């Protein structure tokens, strides 16, 4: 997304590729970047383009807009219905 949003600060020639390759295939693990790499990213940054960044930005903005509109319809009440029943 950086190449799309602020290309003047990007140095694609320095892009790296850090993809964890030592996890069991059935494991979905969340991690702190510092556990995997000495650079602040994972994945293959060498494949990044401004066009891919634009598509990601548009997808994320659309998702956030949908969420905000849905929460607006509920007056931002996202209380779990099950917890309300338990309190009564």
């Amino acid at each position: 997304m950086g190449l799309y949003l602020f290309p003047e600060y990007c140095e694609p020639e320095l892009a790296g590729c850090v993809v964890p390759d030592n996890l069991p295939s059935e494991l979905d693990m969340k991690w702190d970047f510092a556990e995997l790499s000495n650079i602040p990213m994972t994945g293959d940054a060498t494949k990044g383009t401004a066009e891919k960044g634009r598509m990601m930005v548009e997808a994320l903005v659309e998702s956030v807009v949908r969420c905000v509109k849905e929460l607006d319809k509920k007056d931002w009440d996202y209380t779990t219905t099950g917890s309300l029943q338990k309190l009564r």
Side-chain angles (χ1 to χ4, degrees):
M1 290 189 287
L3 287 171
Y4 173 65
L5 294 171
F6 35 82
E8 65 276 13
Y9 298 114
C10 295
E11 298 176 288
E13 68 278 4
L14 300 178
C17 178
V18 179
V19 179
D21 61 358
N22 199 23
L23 296 173
S25 61
E26 64 277 352
L27 184 63
D28 179 22
M29 179 179 267
K30 308 299 184 235
W31 56 77
D32 180 345
F33 286 118
E35 295 178 65
L36 301 173
S37 171
N38 61 353
I39 57 176
M41 51 75 61
T42 62
D44 190 352
T46 65
K47 306 288 186 197
T49 67
E51 177 61 15
K52 288 178 183 176
R54 181 193 62 75
M55 293 185 322
M56 286 295 300
V57 167
E58 289 178 2
L60 289 168
V61 168
E62 288 172 13
S63 178
V64 169
V65 168
R66 276 193 308 273
C67 289
V68 168
K69 286 180 177 180
E70 186 174 332
L71 286 166
D72 274 347
K73 288 179 188 176
K74 299 177 182 183
D75 198 26
W76 287 79
D77 180 5
Y78 49 87
T79 309
T80 303
T81 55
S83 64
L84 286 176
Q85 294 169 356
K86 291 177 187 175
L87 293 174
R88 292 183 180 155

